[in-house]
Amino acid sequence: MANTHVKEMQALKEHLGKHQLKLTRQRELILSAFLRQEHITAEAMYHQLAKSDPHLGLATIYRTLNLFCDAGLAQARHFGSQTKYDNVSHKGHHDHLICTGCEKIVEFENEEIERLQEEVATKNGFTINTHRLELYGLCSRCRH
Amino acid sequence: MANTHVKEMQALKEHLGKHQLKLTRQRELILSAFLRQEHITAEAMYHQLAKSDPHLGLATIYRTLNLFCDAGLAQARHFGSQTKYDNVSHKGHHDHLICTGCEKIVEFENEEIERLQEEVATKNGFTINTHRLELYGLCSRCRH
DNA sequence: ATCATTTTGAGAGAGCTTATCAATTTCAAT
DNA sequence: ATTGAAATTGATAAGCTCTCTCAAAATGAT
């Protein structure tokens, strides 16, 4: 953990405090590992963390990642049949370009698109809370 | 079926021909019902079609809707844990505004957004095949 | 240190979708 | 029209991802 993810740790503690939840060894461990990722599945974290803690349960990973979502540190995203958890704490919102050839994921942000989305929403009487934009195609390497 | 969905029927037959697949009573029935929907789940079609054909299997619905996706008549979209199949044949591509209050779905199109998406993709060396844009929020009725 | 409360781990269970396979249907070739 | 190889169907089992259950363990306010 060291002193790298202090801010996120602080945000987590704040959330825990507000909801009568406790800070556990597992939650610290999972947070620390999660913050090193861009987006990851619970299953992937399970295998990854099995090295440092072979007895960490899969259910705990799921519970904890969902907790991070509640705390605003993570954001769940459904990709096909799986859920990926995005690290959203220090990077802010971003959308995805997904290569259907090699599964590579590129993140991007575009203010103009965001603005137009607001416009569409307003025109239809909606107030947007979140959105999701995914572009599927082939990256330069897979296109030939 | 009558003469309403002739074009889609034609498109389906073309796909079947190209892939050594056969036209069955079930496929005709499911296509006809599907084209009357905007977006629907396999489960919902199953119950809806049980009236006209009580022995139609759920697996057949899934298989057939996936077939429609291959044929370009439908498009699958994952909403939480469920998959909804969109009728995309005669309406062209469209995106969605989704009310998290009442589950209402409003379709929209925005050329400018599409254009910007292409721009982002090109900038990253991608060629887009499809995309998906979903805006989540509250509709005017649910907001108060 | 105590103890009420929360959390964990392991496995059972739930929800959605796909695989299996014998019986049936389709359709191209007689 | 009949035949027969190949595809499709229906019923159900199986698979996958995720959540629930609950006894045992850990947390943290006192």
Side-chain angles (χ1 to χ4, degrees), chain A residues 65-115:
Chain A
L65 288 174
N66 288 332
L67 169 70
F68 292 170
C69 288
D70 293 343
L73 291 166
Q75 193 172 321
R77 195 188 286 278
H78 302 282
F79 271 98
S81 61
Q82 285 202 305
T83 300
K84 291 195 174 177
Y85 293 84
D86 290 10
N87 173 355
V88 77
S89 61
H90 59 306
K91 311 193 61 175
H93 174 80
H94 56 259
D95 296 311
H96 294 106
L97 256 167
I98 300 159
C99 178
T100 51
C102 64
E103 305 267 296
K104 185 171 71 175
I105 298 178
V106 174
E107 302 175 345
F108 72 88
E109 278 181 64
N110 188 301
E111 280 214 11
E112 185 69 4
I113 292 180
E114 311 262 325
R115 196 183 60 69

Side-chain angles (χ1 to χ4, degrees), chain B residues 41 83 125 128:
Chain B
T41 63
T83 300
I128 299 183

Side-chain angles (χ1 to χ4, degrees), chain B residues 37-127:
Chain B
Q37 315 291 330
E38 299 268 305
H39 17 243
I40 190 166
T41 63
E43 191 79 26
M45 285 209 85
Y46 180 61
H47 286 111
Q48 183 176 310
L49 287 173
K51 294 161 194 161
S52 32
D53 185 348
H55 290 292
L56 192 61
L58 180 57
T60 300
I61 309 265
Y62 273 107
R63 280 187 293 233
T64 305
L65 289 173
N66 287 333
L67 170 69
F68 292 170
C69 288
D70 293 342
L73 291 164
Q75 194 172 323
R77 238 153 12 80
H78 301 281
F79 271 99
S81 61
Q82 284 201 307
T83 300
K84 291 197 175 177
Y85 294 84
D86 290 9
N87 174 355
V88 77
S89 61
H90 60 306
K91 311 193 63 175
H93 175 81
H94 55 259
D95 295 311
H96 294 104
L97 257 167
I98 299 158
C99 178
T100 51
C102 63
E103 304 268 295
K104 184 169 70 173
I105 298 177
V106 175
E107 301 174 348
F108 71 88
E109 277 180 65
N110 189 302
E111 279 213 14
E112 185 70 3
I113 292 181
E114 311 263 325
R115 197 183 60 67
L116 288 166
Q117 288 175 1
E118 284 294 339
E119 201 176 299
V120 168
T122 305
K123 204 178 297 175
N124 287 278
F126 273 66
T127 316

